[in-house]
Amino acid sequence: MTTPASHIATEDESAAQVAPSRHIAGLIAIMTALRTPGSGCPWDLEQDFASIAPYTIEEAYEVADAIERGDLLDLRDELGDLLLQVVFHARMAQEQGAFAFPDVVEAITTKLIRRHPHVFGAARDLDPEQVKALWGEIKQAEKAERHAAREAAGLPPEPASGLLSNVPHALPALTRAVKLQAKASTVGFDWNDARLVLAKLREELGEIEEALDAADQKAVADEVGDLLFAVANLARHVKVDPEDALRGTNAKFERRFAFIERSLAARGRALADADLAEMDALWNAAKGEERR
């Protein structure tokens, strides 16, 4: 059931409540003020779900980055930025009469309670396999409920679902590749040895070379995509998160390139003054520094 705006704050109430706060009501009041026509922020007022979605994804990455760096002070701030995204989307939905922030909270608390009957209900003392089986049953029941709710609201049914249809399209490409492969693996569509994936990588490299020889840019793009998909598959087989691995390599590249810049600067030179051979030698020196 949609929560009326009066259940959160009226426009007058929001103006009076705009102040730093430790409570979610304060954040909701600020968002209400920002989205109030005439007195709100012009930028915030012109946003919609589609324009805000990229920021939502970016904020989630910044949360992950703070965790990876072990920076809890930064994590606090980034979690706040991510929470703002939830409040922003909820406010826009409320303006359309669809739902409001309390409905979002109710939906997730209901789901958590329903999915954990071994914690909040009578299904106690289950082993991990029983919990997993129960989880599957609950998700099937939720799917039926969602279908009934869409029907009651006069919405079209969700598209027919295949095995891979519920892997979100908005995921980072490498992450989505791993999830697609893992889903296919559940029905036996998979290699049983990481070395077979290595053979596939070599095959894809050969096909890229053929596309380059043919000067076929579309084929090059297709084959590079196939290569990246195979790399994600290899990562899955050796139990490495490809996103984490690539983030680590990105950080390593930044460190080593910064070493090149510092080394050249110490000699009174800029990057533009060095040729590739000199930069490559400094790159190797940076690698040597890391091994010490």
Side-chain angles (χ1 to χ4, degrees), residues 35-155:
R35 291 281 297 183
T36 299
S39 62
C41 170
W43 186 88
D44 289 280
L45 283 165
E46 72 178 7
Q47 303 309 311
D48 57 24
F49 295 112
S51 67
I52 289 297
Y55 296 100
T56 308
I57 295 169
E58 180 181 336
E59 295 302 348
Y61 275 118
E62 291 184 0
V63 166
D65 179 64
I67 292 170
E68 185 175 342
R69 290 184 284 107
D71 189 333
L72 295 184
L73 186 62
D74 201 16
L75 177 60
R76 179 201 66 185
D77 292 344
E78 297 301 346
L79 285 171
D81 291 344
L82 185 58
L83 178 58
L84 171 63
Q85 298 299 307
V86 178
V87 171
F88 207 142
H89 285 288
R91 175 63 195 179
M92 291 187 291
Q94 180 182 332
E95 291 165 359
Q96 296 181 20
F99 59 84
F101 186 81
D103 300 300
V104 176
V105 176
E106 182 181 26
I108 187 57
T109 53
T110 299
K111 182 185 292 184
L112 287 171
I113 293 168
R114 181 174 58 234
R115 290 189 177 184
H116 295 83
H118 51 295
V119 177
F120 303 109
R124 303 280 177 166
D125 302 321
L126 299 181
D127 63 37
E129 283 304 311
Q130 290 172 316
V131 169
K132 186 176 179 180
L134 184 60
W135 182 275
E137 293 172 13
I138 292 169
K139 290 190 75 172
Q140 284 299 316
E142 288 175 351
K143 185 176 180 180
E145 288 176 14
R146 189 166 60 248
H147 176 78
R150 291 182 67 85
E151 193 173 64
L155 296 171

Side-chain angles (χ1 to χ4, degrees), residues 6-271:
S6 60
H7 284 197
I8 299 178
T10 65
E11 310 302 346
D12 291 339
E13 286 172 340
S14 70
Q17 294 171 4
V18 172
S21 172
R22 297 180 64 88
H23 304 287
I24 189 65
L27 178 57
I28 293 171
I30 289 171
M31 179 51 64
T32 299
L34 291 173
R35 291 281 297 183
T36 299
S39 62
C41 170
W43 186 88
D44 289 280
L45 283 165
E46 72 178 7
Q47 303 309 311
D48 57 24
F49 295 112
S51 67
I52 289 297
Y55 296 100
T56 308
I57 295 169
E58 180 181 336
E59 295 302 348
Y61 275 118
E62 291 184 0
V63 166
D65 179 64
I67 292 170
E68 185 175 342
R69 290 184 284 107
D71 189 333
L72 295 184
L73 186 62
D74 201 16
L75 177 60
R76 179 201 66 185
D77 292 344
E78 297 301 346
L79 285 171
D81 291 344
L82 185 58
L83 178 58
L84 171 63
Q85 298 299 307
V86 178
V87 171
F88 207 142
H89 285 288
R91 175 63 195 179
M92 291 187 291
Q94 180 182 332
E95 291 165 359
Q96 296 181 20
F99 59 84
F101 186 81
D103 300 300
V104 176
V105 176
E106 182 181 26
I108 187 57
T109 53
T110 299
K111 182 185 292 184
L112 287 171
I113 293 168
R114 181 174 58 234
R115 290 189 177 184
H116 295 83
H118 51 295
V119 177
F120 303 109
R124 303 280 177 166
D125 302 321
L126 299 181
D127 63 37
E129 283 304 311
Q130 290 172 316
V131 169
K132 186 176 179 180
L134 184 60
W135 182 275
E137 293 172 13
I138 292 169
K139 290 190 75 172
Q140 284 299 316
E142 288 175 351
K143 185 176 180 180
E145 288 176 14
R146 189 166 60 248
H147 176 78
R150 291 182 67 85
E151 193 173 64
L155 296 171
E158 293 176 313
S161 58
L163 180 64
L164 306 181
S165 61
N166 65 345
V167 179
H169 287 268
L171 288 173
L174 284 175
T175 299
R176 188 163 192 267
V178 169
K179 288 187 177 292
L180 290 169
Q181 294 159 0
K183 282 273 189 180
S185 179
T186 62
V187 294
F189 191 73
D190 199 2
W191 283 294
N192 57 11
D193 187 338
R195 287 173 179 78
L196 296 175
V197 188
L198 282 173
K200 183 64 176 175
L201 282 171
R202 296 186 188 98
E203 176 188 324
E204 297 299 348
L205 284 168
E207 291 177 1
I208 290 174
E209 190 169 10
E210 290 174 9
L212 287 170
D213 290 342
D216 186 337
Q217 184 58 35
K218 183 180 182 307
V220 169
D222 287 345
E223 298 302 342
V224 168
D226 290 348
L227 177 65
L228 291 171
F229 193 82
V231 168
N233 207 356
L234 176 63
R236 180 176 64 88
H237 275 81
V238 297
K239 296 180 171 51
V240 169
D241 184 317
E243 292 286 341
D244 286 345
L246 186 55
R247 275 195 292 271
T249 298
N250 288 342
K252 181 167 58 179
F253 182 89
E254 288 178 293
R255 286 195 309 272
R256 292 177 181 176
F257 197 82
F259 179 90
I260 294 173
E261 288 183 292
R262 290 194 306 272
S263 299
L264 287 171
R267 302 173 187 177
R269 305 178 65 210
L271 285 168

